[in-house]
Amino acid sequence: MVSKAKEILKKFYGYENFRTGQQETIESILNGNDTFAIMPTGGGKSLCFQIPALILPGITIVISPLISLMKDQVDTLDNIGISSSFINSSISINEIENRLLRAESGEIKILYVAPERLENPYFRQLLRNLNISLIAIDEAHCVSQWGHDFRKSYRYIASSIKELQKRPVIAAFTATATNEVKEDIVKLLELNNPSIFLTGFDRKNLSFLVVKSENRRKFMENYIEDNKDKSGIIYAATRKEVDAIYDDLNKKGYSVGRYHAGLNDEDRRENQEKFLFDDIKVMAATNAFGMGIDKSNVRYVIHYNMPKNIEAYYQEAGRAGRDGDPGECILLFGAQDVMLQKFFIEQGTESEDRKTIEYKKLQSMVDYCHTTKCLRKYILEYFGETNVPDTCGNCSSCNDDSEISDITIEAQKIFSCIYRMKERYGCNMAADVLKGSKNKKVLDFHFNELSTYGIMKEYKLQEIRDLINILIADEYLYLNEGEFPVVKLKNKAVLVLKNKEKVLMKVRKRKAKAVEINTLFEVLRGVRRSIAEREKVPPYIVFADTTLKELCEYLPLSKDEMLQVKGVGEIKYEKYGEEFLQAIKKYADDNNIERKQTKEDEDREIERKQNENSAISMQPPKDDEIPSHLVTLNMQKNGLTLSSIAKERKLTLATIQEHIIKCALEGNEVDWYSIIPEKYESLILEKIKEVGAEK
């Protein structure tokens, strides 16, 4: 049997040897065993049922969820001389009966069937006339309510098999399944003592990168410019976003196509073929694109928006590097992505149980975006793998050269605040209290009377939220599931509060690059030259080059800091110091550079933190310390209309509206009903479905 399988592999597919797991899976099926194979995207699942189909005497039925996937596979099989066909909603009743007759006569060896067909008693009756040797169930995770793409029609598979005159061999295949899903697949498909093959989820040739707090569009364009000779996919959450990406890249002259459900069938087919044949290099698409696409030379997959769960992300990212050569998987994360995915869950999920599952999966995806640990380890452990190395050396976390920082004090402040809020509120409310927000809800709940109110006022609100999310991702905190999850302490957090454990993690800081130092050096040389000409002394008398270089490295922003630099004494500072400080401050502001601390700075900072009482109540921040858009939000929460806010603040109404939108995108709670009449809600939601939700 194995020799026959290898002969078919060479004759029809052109390969000398099987990939990992393929031979064992094929052998199990040919020996008459129910079989369950879990192989990563690109692992060659299709061969595992196509080759047995050519050896076994009867017909093979393949249950497959996507019409486009069926057509692609049938076209591929026909091209290499294997008789196959498909049955789904795209063909007429007469054509369905015709194809079943051809299958009954032996003319068709592999028949792809949409799972929805099994809901039809008449169709199940027709299947009884066929000599079925094997039923292969592709995307088997769809049978499980815990799976990322649950399909009710998959629940009809087991009962349909029972109705057949003779039970065939059952083989189930999936690329992504957690332990819960694996157990569900075996149970719900009623596999009979199955042989289970898990080839591992790791794709060692793929690198993983999460990019936060960046201009997404600029990052994407820069990346494509640097890789314009390579083939890649850009996934976006909505059709409108896809169209915007396509228009932008197309105008800039890049070889780009697009794919989403809003295009007609012919446009989708044409764009897909152009991508497969390398006539276009980049495909901008929604998640409707990619299932069953066997393009091997995709070098990168960029997720412009965060997907809804890890399963979907890994499946889509796995379309890079199917040929085994290096591939890059880049996720561009923005806080508004979470809101968008929650909107999709609320609008597209009827069952409350299913919503709970979707929210749990979404939180795992959010945690992936915030974890400071190895991204590959996070993914593999999500799918149940154990003994995974702590570092892979091929992800943005492992390659981050930031130093490990002790953030125990910050963590204790956060944990203490959540504890004092009785663990009954979400991340945003906790962040508002820590920041010292004066919004109406904080004051109504008397949170301004807590000892932790305003205790982190020196941080930006988004920085506090990011810290909370990191602590959730690293399992100090957890969120219960739901549209408005509540943040609670885990045992690890309690140990930190009791000073029994420290919190150490990488805190990313932007440091001056060599090119920036060189540029600043020239700026400071210019300042030195002006002073030298004014004082009529040689430049080195003002400051030596070594002093200028140290100024570039540490970027002092005050007199005390500048006096720590070698070559700067009290007298020289009094004569020249302020001119250099102003030049450094301007350069740092213009280039958004954070200074590197000196050893003395670090020692003082450690001493300050050690002496700081994390439960000290701080005064609420003044209005001029609060970002402008949050001032607007606070005024709106206190009952003012947008027009009255604009008048009082002497700003345009458009600016005030932009403030509200910015607050929402940052995750602040906005009372939309006070701005937009409730009667328009259904119309707005209808239009969002039509054109997207980016705005």
Side-chain angles (χ1 to χ4, degrees):
M1 286 278 197
V2 174
S3 60
K4 179 67 173 174
K6 283 193 171 183
E7 182 184 321
I8 291 172
L9 179 70
K10 176 62 177 172
K11 177 181 177 182
F12 289 100
Y13 299 94
Y15 298 113
E16 295 285 349
N17 298 299
F18 288 108
R19 294 183 186 179
T20 303
Q22 285 181 326
Q23 182 170 317
E24 298 87 338
T25 303
I26 290 170
E27 197 170 347
S28 172
I29 293 171
L30 293 176
N31 287 335
N33 301 321
D34 281 2
T35 303
F36 180 20
I38 305 167
M39 297 177 173
T41 301
K45 296 185 292 295
S46 299
L47 288 186
C48 293
F49 56 77
Q50 290 173 359
I51 289 179
L54 299 179
I55 298 174
L56 295 171
I59 186 173
T60 290
I61 300 291
V62 182
I63 309 295
S64 179
L66 289 176
I67 293 175
S68 60
L69 173 63
M70 291 183 194
K71 187 177 184 309
D72 289 341
Q73 296 228 349
V74 168
D75 288 346
T76 301
L77 290 170
D78 287 346
N79 189 49
I80 60 176
I82 298 174
S83 60
S84 62
S85 190
F86 62 83
I87 292 176
N88 57 40
S89 59
S90 70
I91 60 176
S92 67
I93 295 295
N94 289 339
E95 182 59 27
I96 289 174
E97 293 182 352
N98 177 48
R99 293 185 184 190
L100 286 171
L101 286 172
R102 288 168 58 206
E104 190 176 354
S105 67
E107 186 182 338
I108 293 173
K109 196 65 177 164
I110 302 176
L111 183 64
Y112 286 80
V113 175
E116 288 75 18
R117 296 288 100 193
L118 301 178
E119 298 179 36
N120 187 322
Y122 177 65
F123 181 79
R124 295 202 302 271
Q125 176 66 40
L126 294 175
L127 285 182
R128 293 174 203 161
N129 299 325
L130 303 180
N131 177 24
I132 302 172
S133 298
L134 169 65
I135 291 182
I137 302 153
D138 203 7
E139 309 295 341
H141 58 268
C142 294
V143 75
S144 172
Q145 181 129 317
W146 291 100
H148 68 283
D149 194 20
F150 172 61
R151 305 284 184 94
K152 288 182 180 178
S153 53
Y154 265 67
R155 295 288 176 93
Y156 287 85
I157 294 174
S159 59
S160 298
I161 291 170
K162 286 180 180 178
E163 295 176 8
L164 299 175
Q165 296 180 19
K166 175 189 170 187
R167 188 184 189 277
V169 175
I170 312 300
F173 299 87
T174 185
T176 51
T178 60
N179 287 327
E180 288 171 314
V181 173
K182 293 174 200 171
E183 293 171 4
D184 249 8
I185 289 172
V186 173
K187 176 185 174 183
L188 296 170
L189 293 178
E190 298 184 16
L191 300 182
N192 185 11
N193 193 26
S195 301
I196 299 176
F197 299 97
L198 174 59
T199 62
F201 292 97
D202 195 7
R203 297 275 304 281
K204 296 185 187 301
N205 62 314
L206 299 183
S207 64
F208 296 93
L209 174 68
V210 173
V211 179
K212 296 186 290 185
S213 303
E214 295 277 352
N215 182 319
R216 284 197 259 207
R217 188 61 55 88
K218 185 177 180 182
F219 180 95
M220 177 189 69
E221 290 174 1
N222 289 342
Y223 183 89
I224 292 172
E225 175 63 27
D226 292 340
N227 296 273
K228 55 187 174 186
D229 60 330
K230 297 176 182 176
S231 185
I233 302 171
I234 302 169
Y235 282 109
T238 66
R239 302 175 191 178
K240 187 175 181 181
E241 192 78 84
V242 168
D243 288 338
I245 291 170
Y246 168 79
D247 290 340
D248 187 46
L249 295 178
N250 192 41
K251 285 176 185 175
K252 288 179 168 59
Y254 293 107
S255 174
V256 61
R258 56 181 161 179
Y259 190 106
H260 58 66
L263 301 174
N264 61 49
D265 291 345
E266 180 57 27
D267 285 342
R268 286 201 303 273
R269 185 196 62 77
E270 183 181 342
N271 289 341
Q272 180 170 304
E273 286 192 2
K274 283 182 178 179
F275 183 67
L276 292 174
F277 286 95
D278 285 333
D279 292 331
I280 56 176
K281 289 293 184 184
V282 182
M283 180 67 83
T286 60
N287 60 8
F289 178 77
M291 289 285 274
I293 302 300
D294 292 329
K295 185 175 173 64
S296 63
N297 65 335
V298 174
R299 296 272 64 89
Y300 63 87
V301 172
I302 296 175
H303 278 82
Y304 195 79
N305 307 103
M306 181 192 71
K308 62 181 179 178
N309 52 52
I310 294 289
E311 291 94 332
Y313 174 68
Y314 200 49
Q315 190 172 63
E316 290 159 11
R319 286 164 194 147
R322 292 179 69 132
D323 53 8
D325 284 347
E328 290 191 276
C329 310
I330 302 167
L331 197 166
L332 308 181
F333 174 78
Q336 63 269 37
D337 293 342
V338 182
M339 297 168 61
L340 185 59
Q341 291 299 341
K342 285 184 176 182
F343 172 79
F344 289 155
I345 291 172
E346 286 300 313
Q347 296 301 312
T349 312
E350 296 179 4
S351 161
E352 288 303 317
D353 288 343
R354 183 66 193 168
K355 277 185 184 178
T356 300
I357 293 169
E358 293 286 357
Y359 277 118
K360 181 178 180 181
K361 289 179 175 294
L362 176 59
Q363 187 56 48
S364 295
M365 188 73 246
V366 174
D367 289 350
Y368 172 82
C369 295
H370 285 98
T371 186
T372 59
K373 297 178 181 176
C374 173
L375 298 180
R376 188 182 307 275
K377 179 180 175 71
Y378 185 99
I379 291 171
L380 298 181
E381 289 184 341
Y382 178 86
F383 289 119
E385 293 202 13
T386 56
N387 301 318
V388 182
D390 289 336
T391 60
C392 71
N394 201 17
C395 75
S396 55
S397 290
C398 292
N399 294 331
D400 178 12
D401 60 359
S402 299
E403 295 180 359
I404 299 293
S405 297
D406 185 339
I407 64 162
T408 305
I409 297 295
E410 288 85 351
Q412 286 176 331
K413 291 177 181 180
I414 292 169
F415 301 156
S416 179
C417 185
I418 291 168
Y419 176 76
R420 283 169 169 76
M421 293 170 69
K422 309 296 185 187
E423 300 178 85
R424 294 176 184 170
Y425 301 89
C427 298
N428 288 339
M429 180 66 85
D432 281 343
V433 174
L434 288 160
K435 176 66 179 172
S437 169
K438 293 190 287 186
N439 73 46
K440 191 172 185 297
K441 280 194 174 180
V442 169
L443 300 179
D444 284 350
F445 289 128
H446 300 287
F447 289 148
N448 57 316
E449 298 171 9
L450 296 178
S451 60
T452 49
Y453 177 73
I455 202 169
M456 295 181 75
K457 70 174 184 179
E458 71 275 18
Y459 287 82
K460 294 178 181 177
L461 192 60
Q462 190 56 50
E463 289 175 334
I464 300 173
R465 290 199 193 104
D466 286 344
L467 272 175
I468 293 173
N469 281 317
I470 288 170
L471 292 167
I472 292 169
D474 289 353
E475 299 185 324
Y476 290 93
L477 302 170
Y478 75 95
L479 293 172
N480 61 358
E481 290 87 32
E483 185 179 4
F484 304 106
V486 171
V487 62
K488 295 178 178 289
L489 303 180
K490 297 189 82 168
N491 189 53
K492 283 174 68 176
V494 176
L495 295 175
V496 173
L497 279 172
K498 292 180 177 179
N499 290 315
K500 292 183 178 180
E501 279 194 13
K502 289 184 176 293
V503 181
L504 305 173
M505 61 180 61
K506 290 179 179 179
V507 178
R508 297 174 177 87
K509 290 184 178 180
R510 183 180 294 161
K511 296 179 182 178
K513 298 178 183 177
V515 63
E516 294 170 342
I517 289 174
N518 291 338
T519 306
L520 178 57
F521 182 73
E522 292 304 317
V523 171
L524 298 186
R525 281 185 67 187
V527 175
R528 183 178 66 177
R529 189 182 307 112
S530 297
I531 295 173
E533 289 173 357
R534 183 182 72 220
E535 299 287 332
K536 295 181 171 50
V537 295
Y540 69 86
I541 296 294
V542 179
F543 282 134
D545 279 0
T546 52
T547 299
L548 296 190
K549 288 176 181 176
E550 195 162 320
L551 289 172
C552 293
E553 184 178 3
Y554 290 106
L555 299 177
L557 301 178
S558 68
K559 176 181 177 179
D560 288 344
E561 291 168 3
M562 191 166 177
L563 287 173
Q564 294 173 33
V565 174
K566 291 175 184 176
V568 182
E570 288 279 356
I571 294 174
K572 280 199 175 182
Y573 178 82
E574 293 302 327
K575 293 177 72 174
Y576 317 126
E578 279 300 318
E579 291 177 72
F580 283 93
L581 274 185
Q582 292 306 314
I584 292 169
K585 287 178 181 177
K586 184 177 187 307
Y587 187 85
D589 290 341
D590 290 348
N591 294 276
N592 196 25
I593 301 171
E594 293 178 8
R595 70 183 183 87
K596 179 179 177 180
Q597 289 185 321
T598 63
K599 181 68 172 65
E600 289 84 355
D601 288 334
E602 292 168 355
D603 290 343
R604 281 205 301 269
E605 179 67 10
I606 291 170
E607 184 180 355
R608 184 187 70 79
K609 286 190 173 185
Q610 288 174 341
N611 294 332
E612 187 174 25
N613 183 345
S614 63
I616 293 175
S617 175
M618 299 203 177
Q619 293 298 317
K622 300 174 184 176
D623 281 349
D624 59 4
E625 294 175 350
I626 303 174
S628 183
H629 62 292
L630 294 180
V631 173
T632 294
L633 181 62
N634 289 339
M635 293 174 74
Q636 190 264 336
K637 286 184 175 180
N638 286 322
L640 275 70
T641 66
L642 300 192
S643 298
S644 59
I645 295 171
K647 185 176 180 180
E648 184 172 330
R649 300 198 64 197
K650 295 182 173 57
L651 297 172
T652 66
L653 180 59
T655 298
I656 297 300
Q657 291 170 341
E658 287 295 327
H659 283 178
I660 296 297
I661 292 171
K662 185 175 181 181
C663 288
L665 292 177
E666 288 182 355
N668 292 286
E669 187 176 337
V670 174
D671 181 8
W672 292 109
Y673 285 138
S674 68
I675 302 170
I676 303 167
E678 189 171 355
K679 63 183 180 180
Y680 295 126
E681 180 181 18
S682 59
L683 177 61
I684 291 170
L685 293 177
E686 180 184 331
K687 288 300 175 184
I688 286 173
K689 286 184 178 179
E690 182 180 323
V691 302
E694 292 72 31
K695 294 294 184 183

